[in-house]
Amino acid sequence: MTTAPDSGKPEKPGLLQVVNSVLAAAFGVQSQKNRARDFQAGSAKVYIAVGVVATVVFVLTVYGIVKLVLASAS
């Protein structure tokens, strides 16, 4: 784990790392190393926001696919 240059605190994860962690957690395959990084340096608000956005995108994608399939079946 990397640390911030001026302190002994771990570096905050970047947006891509947060998205990766949320997706891995959604599938249940989060590594111990990433989980530890998330709990030590991450802000819960960021993970919750990314999780909500990912859920909305997933639901809208499923909705769109269902509408497309139903329209082609008619």
Side-chain angles (χ1 to χ4, degrees):
M1 174 163 314
T2 59
T3 58
D6 295 337
S7 68
K9 293 182 181 179
E11 241 179 63
K12 287 187 177 184
L15 182 60
L16 190 57
Q17 289 174 319
V18 171
V19 170
N20 186 29
S21 289
V22 168
L23 292 177
F27 286 106
V29 294
Q30 182 74 298
S31 70
Q32 178 66 21
K33 175 184 162 189
N34 289 348
R35 188 191 64 77
R37 178 200 64 212
D38 297 342
F39 279 99
Q40 289 176 359
S43 167
K45 292 177 186 177
V46 174
Y47 288 93
I48 292 169
V50 171
V52 168
V53 169
T55 301
V56 169
V57 168
F58 174 75
V59 169
L60 291 176
T61 301
V62 170
Y63 177 77
I65 291 171
V66 169
K67 292 294 272 187
L68 183 66
V69 168
L70 290 177
S72 68
S74 299

Short mmCIF file of all heavy atoms in Angstrom, two decimals:
data_model
loop_
_atom_site.label_atom_id
_atom_site.label_comp_id
_atom_site.label_asym_id
_atom_site.label_seq_id
_atom_site.Cartn_x
_atom_site.Cartn_y
_atom_site.Cartn_z
N MET A 1 0.85 -1.17 0.00
CA MET A 1 0.00 0.00 0.00
C MET A 1 0.89 1.23 0.00
O MET A 1 1.86 1.30 0.72
CB MET A 1 -0.90 -0.02 1.24
CG MET A 1 -1.69 1.24 1.37
SD MET A 1 -3.09 1.19 2.48
CE MET A 1 -3.87 -0.32 2.04
N THR A 2 0.53 2.20 -0.82
CA THR A 2 1.32 3.42 -0.87
C THR A 2 0.84 4.39 0.19
O THR A 2 -0.30 4.36 0.62
CB THR A 2 1.20 4.08 -2.25
OG1 THR A 2 -0.18 4.35 -2.51
CG2 THR A 2 1.75 3.19 -3.33
N THR A 3 1.75 5.23 0.62
CA THR A 3 1.39 6.22 1.62
C THR A 3 1.58 7.61 1.05
O THR A 3 2.33 7.81 0.10
CB THR A 3 2.27 6.08 2.89
OG1 THR A 3 3.63 6.21 2.51
CG2 THR A 3 2.03 4.75 3.57
N ALA A 4 0.88 8.55 1.62
CA ALA A 4 1.01 9.94 1.19
C ALA A 4 2.42 10.41 1.53
O ALA A 4 2.99 10.02 2.55
CB ALA A 4 -0.04 10.80 1.89
N PRO A 5 3.01 11.26 0.68
CA PRO A 5 4.40 11.67 0.89
C PRO A 5 4.66 12.39 2.21
O PRO A 5 5.72 12.24 2.79
CB PRO A 5 4.70 12.60 -0.28
CG PRO A 5 3.53 12.55 -1.18
CD PRO A 5 2.43 11.82 -0.50
N ASP A 6 3.72 13.19 2.69
CA ASP A 6 3.97 14.01 3.87
C ASP A 6 3.53 13.36 5.18
O ASP A 6 3.81 13.89 6.24
CB ASP A 6 3.27 15.36 3.73
CG ASP A 6 3.85 16.19 2.58
OD1 ASP A 6 5.01 15.93 2.21
OD2 ASP A 6 3.14 17.05 2.07
N SER A 7 2.81 12.26 5.11
CA SER A 7 2.31 11.66 6.34
C SER A 7 2.38 10.15 6.25
O SER A 7 2.67 9.58 5.22
CB SER A 7 0.86 12.11 6.59
OG SER A 7 0.01 11.55 5.61
N GLY A 8 2.07 9.50 7.35
CA GLY A 8 2.05 8.06 7.39
C GLY A 8 0.71 7.48 6.98
O GLY A 8 0.52 6.28 7.00
N LYS A 9 -0.23 8.35 6.59
CA LYS A 9 -1.55 7.89 6.20
C LYS A 9 -1.51 7.30 4.79
O LYS A 9 -0.79 7.78 3.94
CB LYS A 9 -2.55 9.05 6.21
CG LYS A 9 -2.83 9.61 7.57
CD LYS A 9 -3.86 10.70 7.47
CE LYS A 9 -4.14 11.30 8.84
NZ LYS A 9 -5.12 12.38 8.76
N PRO A 10 -2.33 6.25 4.55
CA PRO A 10 -2.39 5.69 3.20
C PRO A 10 -3.02 6.70 2.23
O PRO A 10 -3.83 7.52 2.62
CB PRO A 10 -3.29 4.47 3.35
CG PRO A 10 -3.48 4.26 4.80
CD PRO A 10 -3.10 5.51 5.51
N GLU A 11 -2.62 6.61 0.95
CA GLU A 11 -3.16 7.48 -0.08
C GLU A 11 -4.62 7.16 -0.34
O GLU A 11 -5.02 6.00 -0.30
CB GLU A 11 -2.39 7.23 -1.38
CG GLU A 11 -1.67 8.42 -1.92
CD GLU A 11 -0.92 8.08 -3.19
OE1 GLU A 11 -1.57 7.71 -4.18
OE2 GLU A 11 0.30 8.17 -3.16
N LYS A 12 -5.42 8.19 -0.63
CA LYS A 12 -6.82 7.96 -0.98
C LYS A 12 -6.89 7.31 -2.35
O LYS A 12 -6.15 7.68 -3.25
CB LYS A 12 -7.59 9.28 -1.01
CG LYS A 12 -7.85 9.87 0.34
CD LYS A 12 -8.74 11.08 0.22
CE LYS A 12 -9.06 11.61 1.60
NZ LYS A 12 -10.00 12.72 1.54
N PRO A 13 -7.78 6.34 -2.51
CA PRO A 13 -7.90 5.69 -3.82
C PRO A 13 -8.49 6.67 -4.85
O PRO A 13 -9.33 7.50 -4.51
CB PRO A 13 -8.84 4.52 -3.57
CG PRO A 13 -9.48 4.78 -2.26
CD PRO A 13 -8.62 5.73 -1.51
N GLY A 14 -8.06 6.54 -6.10
CA GLY A 14 -8.58 7.36 -7.17
C GLY A 14 -9.96 6.88 -7.61
O GLY A 14 -10.44 5.82 -7.19
N LEU A 15 -10.59 7.64 -8.49
CA LEU A 15 -11.94 7.31 -8.94
C LEU A 15 -11.97 5.94 -9.63
O LEU A 15 -12.89 5.15 -9.39
CB LEU A 15 -12.47 8.39 -9.89
CG LEU A 15 -13.89 8.19 -10.40
CD1 LEU A 15 -14.88 8.14 -9.24
CD2 LEU A 15 -14.26 9.27 -11.38
N LEU A 16 -10.98 5.65 -10.46
CA LEU A 16 -10.95 4.37 -11.14
C LEU A 16 -10.82 3.22 -10.15
O LEU A 16 -11.46 2.17 -10.30
CB LEU A 16 -9.81 4.33 -12.15
CG LEU A 16 -9.79 3.15 -13.10
CD1 LEU A 16 -11.09 3.06 -13.89
CD2 LEU A 16 -8.62 3.25 -14.04
N GLN A 17 -10.03 3.41 -9.10
CA GLN A 17 -9.89 2.38 -8.07
C GLN A 17 -11.20 2.20 -7.30
O GLN A 17 -11.56 1.07 -6.94
CB GLN A 17 -8.77 2.74 -7.10
CG GLN A 17 -7.39 2.63 -7.71
CD GLN A 17 -6.31 3.13 -6.76
OE1 GLN A 17 -6.49 4.13 -6.09
NE2 GLN A 17 -5.18 2.43 -6.74
N VAL A 18 -11.92 3.28 -7.06
CA VAL A 18 -13.21 3.20 -6.36
C VAL A 18 -14.21 2.44 -7.22
O VAL A 18 -14.91 1.54 -6.74
CB VAL A 18 -13.74 4.60 -6.00
CG1 VAL A 18 -15.16 4.52 -5.47
CG2 VAL A 18 -12.83 5.28 -4.99
N VAL A 19 -14.28 2.78 -8.51
CA VAL A 19 -15.20 2.08 -9.42
C VAL A 19 -14.84 0.60 -9.48
O VAL A 19 -15.73 -0.27 -9.41
CB VAL A 19 -15.18 2.73 -10.82
CG1 VAL A 19 -15.94 1.89 -11.83
CG2 VAL A 19 -15.75 4.14 -10.77
N ASN A 20 -13.56 0.30 -9.59
CA ASN A 20 -13.12 -1.09 -9.63
C ASN A 20 -13.52 -1.83 -8.35
O ASN A 20 -13.99 -2.96 -8.40
CB ASN A 20 -11.60 -1.15 -9.83
CG ASN A 20 -11.09 -2.55 -10.02
OD1 ASN A 20 -11.80 -3.41 -10.51
ND2 ASN A 20 -9.86 -2.78 -9.62
N SER A 21 -13.35 -1.19 -7.20
CA SER A 21 -13.70 -1.81 -5.93
C SER A 21 -15.20 -2.05 -5.82
O SER A 21 -15.64 -3.10 -5.33
CB SER A 21 -13.24 -0.94 -4.77
OG SER A 21 -11.83 -0.98 -4.67
N VAL A 22 -16.01 -1.08 -6.27
CA VAL A 22 -17.46 -1.22 -6.20
C VAL A 22 -17.93 -2.36 -7.10
O VAL A 22 -18.75 -3.19 -6.70
CB VAL A 22 -18.16 0.10 -6.56
CG1 VAL A 22 -19.64 -0.09 -6.78
CG2 VAL A 22 -17.92 1.14 -5.47
N LEU A 23 -17.39 -2.43 -8.31
CA LEU A 23 -17.78 -3.51 -9.23
C LEU A 23 -17.32 -4.87 -8.71
O LEU A 23 -18.06 -5.85 -8.79
CB LEU A 23 -17.21 -3.24 -10.62
CG LEU A 23 -17.80 -2.04 -11.35
CD1 LEU A 23 -17.10 -1.83 -12.69
CD2 LEU A 23 -19.29 -2.19 -11.54
N ALA A 24 -16.11 -4.94 -8.16
CA ALA A 24 -15.62 -6.20 -7.61
C ALA A 24 -16.47 -6.63 -6.42
O ALA A 24 -16.80 -7.81 -6.28
CB ALA A 24 -14.16 -6.06 -7.20
N ALA A 25 -16.84 -5.68 -5.59
CA ALA A 25 -17.69 -6.01 -4.44
C ALA A 25 -19.07 -6.46 -4.88
O ALA A 25 -19.68 -7.35 -4.28
CB ALA A 25 -17.79 -4.81 -3.51
N ALA A 26 -19.59 -5.86 -5.95
CA ALA A 26 -20.91 -6.25 -6.46
C ALA A 26 -20.91 -7.70 -6.94
O ALA A 26 -21.90 -8.41 -6.77
CB ALA A 26 -21.33 -5.32 -7.60
N PHE A 27 -19.79 -8.13 -7.51
CA PHE A 27 -19.68 -9.51 -7.97
C PHE A 27 -19.16 -10.44 -6.88
O PHE A 27 -19.11 -11.65 -7.08
CB PHE A 27 -18.77 -9.60 -9.20
CG PHE A 27 -19.42 -9.09 -10.45
CD1 PHE A 27 -19.05 -7.87 -10.98
CD2 PHE A 27 -20.40 -9.82 -11.08
CE1 PHE A 27 -19.65 -7.39 -12.13
CE2 PHE A 27 -21.01 -9.36 -12.24
CZ PHE A 27 -20.63 -8.14 -12.76
N GLY A 28 -18.73 -9.89 -5.75
CA GLY A 28 -18.27 -10.70 -4.64
C GLY A 28 -16.86 -11.22 -4.80
O GLY A 28 -16.52 -12.27 -4.25
N VAL A 29 -16.02 -10.51 -5.55
CA VAL A 29 -14.66 -10.98 -5.79
C VAL A 29 -13.61 -9.97 -5.34
O VAL A 29 -12.50 -9.96 -5.87
CB VAL A 29 -14.46 -11.32 -7.29
CG1 VAL A 29 -15.32 -12.50 -7.69
CG2 VAL A 29 -14.74 -10.12 -8.17
N GLN A 30 -13.91 -9.17 -4.38
CA GLN A 30 -12.99 -8.14 -3.89
C GLN A 30 -11.79 -8.81 -3.21
O GLN A 30 -11.96 -9.71 -2.39
CB GLN A 30 -13.72 -7.24 -2.89
CG GLN A 30 -12.88 -6.11 -2.34
CD GLN A 30 -12.66 -5.00 -3.34
OE1 GLN A 30 -12.07 -5.21 -4.38
NE2 GLN A 30 -13.15 -3.83 -3.01
N SER A 31 -10.59 -8.38 -3.55
CA SER A 31 -9.39 -8.95 -2.93
C SER A 31 -9.20 -8.36 -1.53
O SER A 31 -9.65 -7.26 -1.24
CB SER A 31 -8.15 -8.67 -3.78
OG SER A 31 -7.81 -7.31 -3.73
N GLN A 32 -8.51 -9.10 -0.70
CA GLN A 32 -8.25 -8.66 0.68
C GLN A 32 -7.44 -7.37 0.68
O GLN A 32 -7.69 -6.47 1.47
CB GLN A 32 -7.52 -9.76 1.45
CG GLN A 32 -7.15 -9.40 2.86
CD GLN A 32 -8.36 -9.20 3.76
OE1 GLN A 32 -9.45 -9.67 3.48
NE2 GLN A 32 -8.18 -8.48 4.84
N LYS A 33 -6.47 -7.27 -0.23
CA LYS A 33 -5.62 -6.09 -0.31
C LYS A 33 -6.45 -4.84 -0.65
O LYS A 33 -6.31 -3.80 -0.01
CB LYS A 33 -4.54 -6.31 -1.38
CG LYS A 33 -3.66 -5.13 -1.65
CD LYS A 33 -2.72 -5.45 -2.80
CE LYS A 33 -2.15 -4.18 -3.36
NZ LYS A 33 -1.41 -4.40 -4.60
N ASN A 34 -7.32 -4.96 -1.65
CA ASN A 34 -8.16 -3.82 -2.04
C ASN A 34 -9.18 -3.48 -0.96
O ASN A 34 -9.47 -2.30 -0.72
CB ASN A 34 -8.85 -4.09 -3.36
CG ASN A 34 -7.91 -4.07 -4.53
OD1 ASN A 34 -6.77 -3.62 -4.41
ND2 ASN A 34 -8.36 -4.55 -5.67
N ARG A 35 -9.74 -4.49 -0.33
CA ARG A 35 -10.70 -4.23 0.75
C ARG A 35 -10.05 -3.47 1.88
O ARG A 35 -10.60 -2.51 2.41
CB ARG A 35 -11.30 -5.54 1.26
CG ARG A 35 -12.46 -5.32 2.23
CD ARG A 35 -12.85 -6.60 2.93
NE ARG A 35 -11.79 -7.11 3.78
CZ ARG A 35 -11.47 -6.61 4.98
NH1 ARG A 35 -12.12 -5.60 5.47
NH2 ARG A 35 -10.51 -7.14 5.68
N ALA A 36 -8.84 -3.88 2.24
CA ALA A 36 -8.11 -3.19 3.31
C ALA A 36 -7.82 -1.74 2.91
O ALA A 36 -7.98 -0.82 3.72
CB ALA A 36 -6.81 -3.92 3.62
N ARG A 37 -7.41 -1.52 1.66
CA ARG A 37 -7.15 -0.16 1.18
C ARG A 37 -8.42 0.70 1.26
O ARG A 37 -8.39 1.83 1.70
CB ARG A 37 -6.65 -0.21 -0.27
CG ARG A 37 -6.40 1.18 -0.86
CD ARG A 37 -6.39 1.20 -2.36
NE ARG A 37 -7.70 0.83 -2.88
CZ ARG A 37 -7.89 0.18 -4.01
NH1 ARG A 37 -6.89 -0.20 -4.76
NH2 ARG A 37 -9.12 -0.11 -4.40
N ASP A 38 -9.54 0.11 0.85
CA ASP A 38 -10.79 0.85 0.84
C ASP A 38 -11.22 1.27 2.24
O ASP A 38 -11.67 2.39 2.46
CB ASP A 38 -11.90 0.01 0.21
CG ASP A 38 -11.63 -0.31 -1.25
OD1 ASP A 38 -10.78 0.37 -1.86
OD2 ASP A 38 -12.25 -1.24 -1.77
N PHE A 39 -11.07 0.38 3.20
CA PHE A 39 -11.50 0.69 4.56
C PHE A 39 -10.53 1.60 5.29
O PHE A 39 -10.93 2.34 6.18
CB PHE A 39 -11.73 -0.60 5.36
CG PHE A 39 -13.06 -1.23 5.08
CD1 PHE A 39 -13.17 -2.28 4.19
CD2 PHE A 39 -14.21 -0.75 5.68
CE1 PHE A 39 -14.40 -2.85 3.92
CE2 PHE A 39 -15.44 -1.31 5.42
CZ PHE A 39 -15.54 -2.38 4.53
N GLN A 40 -9.27 1.58 4.93
CA GLN A 40 -8.28 2.41 5.62
C GLN A 40 -8.23 3.82 5.08
O GLN A 40 -8.06 4.78 5.84
CB GLN A 40 -6.89 1.78 5.53
CG GLN A 40 -6.76 0.53 6.35
CD GLN A 40 -5.40 -0.14 6.17
OE1 GLN A 40 -4.57 0.33 5.40
NE2 GLN A 40 -5.19 -1.23 6.87
N ALA A 41 -8.34 3.98 3.77
CA ALA A 41 -8.12 5.31 3.18
C ALA A 41 -9.33 5.88 2.48
O ALA A 41 -9.37 7.07 2.21
CB ALA A 41 -6.95 5.23 2.19
N GLY A 42 -10.32 5.07 2.18
CA GLY A 42 -11.46 5.54 1.40
C GLY A 42 -12.54 6.18 2.24
O GLY A 42 -12.67 5.93 3.43
N SER A 43 -13.31 7.03 1.59
CA SER A 43 -14.44 7.68 2.23
C SER A 43 -15.71 6.91 1.87
O SER A 43 -15.95 6.62 0.70
CB SER A 43 -14.56 9.13 1.74
OG SER A 43 -15.79 9.68 2.12
N ALA A 44 -16.52 6.59 2.85
CA ALA A 44 -17.74 5.82 2.61
C ALA A 44 -18.67 6.55 1.66
O ALA A 44 -19.35 5.92 0.84
CB ALA A 44 -18.44 5.53 3.92
N LYS A 45 -18.72 7.87 1.72
CA LYS A 45 -19.61 8.65 0.86
C LYS A 45 -19.31 8.42 -0.61
O LYS A 45 -20.21 8.28 -1.43
CB LYS A 45 -19.49 10.14 1.18
CG LYS A 45 -20.03 10.51 2.52
CD LYS A 45 -19.81 11.99 2.79
CE LYS A 45 -20.22 12.33 4.21
NZ LYS A 45 -19.96 13.74 4.52
N VAL A 46 -18.03 8.35 -0.96
CA VAL A 46 -17.63 8.14 -2.35
C VAL A 46 -18.07 6.76 -2.82
O VAL A 46 -18.62 6.60 -3.91
CB VAL A 46 -16.11 8.32 -2.51
CG1 VAL A 46 -15.66 7.97 -3.92
CG2 VAL A 46 -15.70 9.73 -2.16
N TYR A 47 -17.85 5.74 -1.99
CA TYR A 47 -18.22 4.38 -2.37
C TYR A 47 -19.73 4.23 -2.49
O TYR A 47 -20.23 3.55 -3.39
CB TYR A 47 -17.65 3.37 -1.36
CG TYR A 47 -16.16 3.23 -1.49
CD1 TYR A 47 -15.29 3.99 -0.72
CD2 TYR A 47 -15.61 2.35 -2.41
CE1 TYR A 47 -13.93 3.87 -0.85
CE2 TYR A 47 -14.24 2.22 -2.55
CZ TYR A 47 -13.41 2.99 -1.77
OH TYR A 47 -12.05 2.87 -1.91
N ILE A 48 -20.47 4.86 -1.60
CA ILE A 48 -21.93 4.81 -1.67
C ILE A 48 -22.42 5.50 -2.94
O ILE A 48 -23.29 4.98 -3.64
CB ILE A 48 -22.56 5.44 -0.41
CG1 ILE A 48 -22.27 4.55 0.81
CG2 ILE A 48 -24.05 5.65 -0.59
CD1 ILE A 48 -22.60 5.19 2.14
N ALA A 49 -21.88 6.66 -3.25
CA ALA A 49 -22.29 7.40 -4.46
C ALA A 49 -21.99 6.58 -5.72
O ALA A 49 -22.85 6.46 -6.61
CB ALA A 49 -21.58 8.75 -4.52
N VAL A 50 -20.81 6.01 -5.81
CA VAL A 50 -20.46 5.20 -6.98
C VAL A 50 -21.35 3.96 -7.04
O VAL A 50 -21.79 3.56 -8.12
CB VAL A 50 -18.96 4.82 -6.96
CG1 VAL A 50 -18.63 3.81 -8.04
CG2 VAL A 50 -18.10 6.07 -7.12
N GLY A 51 -21.65 3.37 -5.90
CA GLY A 51 -22.54 2.20 -5.87
C GLY A 51 -23.94 2.54 -6.33
O GLY A 51 -24.56 1.77 -7.08
N VAL A 52 -24.46 3.69 -5.93
CA VAL A 52 -25.80 4.11 -6.36
C VAL A 52 -25.81 4.35 -7.87
O VAL A 52 -26.71 3.92 -8.58
CB VAL A 52 -26.26 5.36 -5.58
CG1 VAL A 52 -27.49 5.99 -6.21
CG2 VAL A 52 -26.52 5.00 -4.13
N VAL A 53 -24.79 5.05 -8.37
CA VAL A 53 -24.71 5.31 -9.82
C VAL A 53 -24.61 4.00 -10.59
O VAL A 53 -25.29 3.81 -11.61
CB VAL A 53 -23.53 6.25 -10.14
CG1 VAL A 53 -23.27 6.32 -11.63
CG2 VAL A 53 -23.77 7.63 -9.57
N ALA A 54 -23.78 3.08 -10.13
CA ALA A 54 -23.63 1.79 -10.81
C ALA A 54 -24.95 1.01 -10.80
O ALA A 54 -25.31 0.38 -11.81
CB ALA A 54 -22.53 0.97 -10.14
N THR A 55 -25.69 1.08 -9.71
CA THR A 55 -26.97 0.39 -9.63
C THR A 55 -27.98 1.00 -10.59
O THR A 55 -28.70 0.27 -11.28
CB THR A 55 -27.51 0.44 -8.18
OG1 THR A 55 -26.55 -0.18 -7.32
CG2 THR A 55 -28.84 -0.27 -8.06
N VAL A 56 -28.03 2.31 -10.66
CA VAL A 56 -28.96 2.99 -11.58
C VAL A 56 -28.61 2.63 -13.02
O VAL A 56 -29.50 2.32 -13.83
CB VAL A 56 -28.94 4.52 -11.34
CG1 VAL A 56 -29.67 5.25 -12.46
CG2 VAL A 56 -29.56 4.85 -9.99
N VAL A 57 -27.34 2.65 -13.36
CA VAL A 57 -26.92 2.30 -14.73
C VAL A 57 -27.30 0.85 -15.04
O VAL A 57 -27.81 0.55 -16.12
CB VAL A 57 -25.40 2.53 -14.91
CG1 VAL A 57 -24.89 1.91 -16.20
CG2 VAL A 57 -25.09 4.02 -14.87
N PHE A 58 -27.10 -0.04 -14.08
CA PHE A 58 -27.46 -1.45 -14.29
C PHE A 58 -28.96 -1.61 -14.51
O PHE A 58 -29.39 -2.30 -15.44
CB PHE A 58 -27.01 -2.29 -13.08
CG PHE A 58 -27.46 -3.72 -13.15
CD1 PHE A 58 -26.84 -4.61 -14.01
CD2 PHE A 58 -28.51 -4.17 -12.35
CE1 PHE A 58 -27.25 -5.93 -14.09
CE2 PHE A 58 -28.93 -5.48 -12.42
CZ PHE A 58 -28.30 -6.37 -13.29
N VAL A 59 -29.76 -0.98 -13.68
CA VAL A 59 -31.22 -1.09 -13.80
C VAL A 59 -31.70 -0.51 -15.13
O VAL A 59 -32.53 -1.11 -15.82
CB VAL A 59 -31.93 -0.41 -12.60
CG1 VAL A 59 -33.42 -0.28 -12.83
CG2 VAL A 59 -31.66 -1.20 -11.32
N LEU A 60 -31.18 0.64 -15.52
CA LEU A 60 -31.57 1.24 -16.79
C LEU A 60 -31.14 0.38 -17.98
O LEU A 60 -31.86 0.30 -18.98
CB LEU A 60 -31.01 2.66 -16.91
CG LEU A 60 -31.62 3.69 -15.96
CD1 LEU A 60 -30.90 5.03 -16.11
CD2 LEU A 60 -33.11 3.85 -16.20
N THR A 61 -29.99 -0.25 -17.87
CA THR A 61 -29.53 -1.14 -18.94
C THR A 61 -30.45 -2.34 -19.07
O THR A 61 -30.86 -2.71 -20.19
CB THR A 61 -28.09 -1.61 -18.67
OG1 THR A 61 -27.23 -0.46 -18.59
CG2 THR A 61 -27.59 -2.55 -19.74
N VAL A 62 -30.80 -2.96 -17.97
CA VAL A 62 -31.72 -4.10 -18.00
C VAL A 62 -33.08 -3.66 -18.55
O VAL A 62 -33.68 -4.35 -19.38
CB VAL A 62 -31.86 -4.76 -16.61
CG1 VAL A 62 -32.97 -5.78 -16.59
CG2 VAL A 62 -30.54 -5.39 -16.19
N TYR A 63 -33.57 -2.52 -18.12
CA TYR A 63 -34.84 -1.99 -18.60
C TYR A 63 -34.80 -1.78 -20.12
O TYR A 63 -35.73 -2.15 -20.84
CB TYR A 63 -35.16 -0.67 -17.88
CG TYR A 63 -36.43 -0.01 -18.36
CD1 TYR A 63 -37.67 -0.47 -17.95
CD2 TYR A 63 -36.38 1.08 -19.22
CE1 TYR A 63 -38.84 0.14 -18.39
CE2 TYR A 63 -37.53 1.69 -19.66
CZ TYR A 63 -38.76 1.22 -19.24
OH TYR A 63 -39.92 1.83 -19.69
N GLY A 64 -33.72 -1.19 -20.60
CA GLY A 64 -33.58 -0.96 -22.03
C GLY A 64 -33.53 -2.25 -22.83
O GLY A 64 -34.13 -2.36 -23.90
N ILE A 65 -32.83 -3.25 -22.32
CA ILE A 65 -32.76 -4.54 -23.00
C ILE A 65 -34.12 -5.20 -23.05
O ILE A 65 -34.54 -5.74 -24.09
CB ILE A 65 -31.70 -5.45 -22.33
CG1 ILE A 65 -30.30 -4.89 -22.58
CG2 ILE A 65 -31.82 -6.89 -22.83
CD1 ILE A 65 -29.21 -5.57 -21.78
N VAL A 66 -34.85 -5.15 -21.95
CA VAL A 66 -36.19 -5.75 -21.91
C VAL A 66 -37.11 -5.04 -22.90
O VAL A 66 -37.86 -5.69 -23.64
CB VAL A 66 -36.77 -5.71 -20.47
CG1 VAL A 66 -38.25 -6.06 -20.47
CG2 VAL A 66 -35.99 -6.66 -19.57
N LYS A 67 -37.08 -3.70 -22.93
CA LYS A 67 -37.91 -2.96 -23.88
C LYS A 67 -37.55 -3.32 -25.31
O LYS A 67 -38.42 -3.47 -26.17
CB LYS A 67 -37.74 -1.45 -23.66
CG LYS A 67 -38.31 -0.95 -22.35
CD LYS A 67 -39.81 -1.08 -22.31
CE LYS A 67 -40.45 0.14 -22.89
NZ LYS A 67 -41.91 0.15 -22.75
N LEU A 68 -36.26 -3.45 -25.60
CA LEU A 68 -35.80 -3.80 -26.94
C LEU A 68 -36.29 -5.19 -27.34
O LEU A 68 -36.77 -5.39 -28.46
CB LEU A 68 -34.27 -3.73 -26.99
CG LEU A 68 -33.62 -4.00 -28.32
CD1 LEU A 68 -33.97 -2.89 -29.31
CD2 LEU A 68 -32.12 -4.10 -28.17
N VAL A 69 -36.17 -6.14 -26.43
CA VAL A 69 -36.61 -7.52 -26.73
C VAL A 69 -38.11 -7.55 -26.91
O VAL A 69 -38.62 -8.22 -27.85
CB VAL A 69 -36.16 -8.48 -25.61
CG1 VAL A 69 -36.83 -9.84 -25.74
CG2 VAL A 69 -34.64 -8.62 -25.62
N LEU A 70 -38.86 -6.87 -26.07
CA LEU A 70 -40.33 -6.87 -26.19
C LEU A 70 -40.77 -6.18 -27.49
O LEU A 70 -41.75 -6.61 -28.12
CB LEU A 70 -40.97 -6.20 -24.98
CG LEU A 70 -40.87 -6.98 -23.67
CD1 LEU A 70 -41.49 -6.18 -22.53
CD2 LEU A 70 -41.56 -8.34 -23.80
N ALA A 71 -40.07 -5.13 -27.89
CA ALA A 71 -40.44 -4.43 -29.12
C ALA A 71 -40.15 -5.31 -30.34
O ALA A 71 -40.92 -5.29 -31.31
CB ALA A 71 -39.65 -3.12 -29.22
N SER A 72 -39.08 -6.07 -30.30
CA SER A 72 -38.76 -6.92 -31.45
C SER A 72 -39.63 -8.17 -31.48
O SER A 72 -39.76 -8.80 -32.53
CB SER A 72 -37.28 -7.30 -31.43
OG SER A 72 -37.01 -8.14 -30.34
N ALA A 73 -40.21 -8.56 -30.36
CA ALA A 73 -41.07 -9.74 -30.31
C ALA A 73 -42.48 -9.43 -30.80
O ALA A 73 -43.22 -10.35 -31.17
CB ALA A 73 -41.14 -10.28 -28.87
N SER A 74 -42.86 -8.18 -30.84
CA SER A 74 -44.23 -7.81 -31.26
C SER A 74 -44.38 -7.81 -32.75
O SER A 74 -43.59 -7.48 -33.51
CB SER A 74 -44.58 -6.43 -30.73
OG SER A 74 -44.53 -6.45 -29.33
#
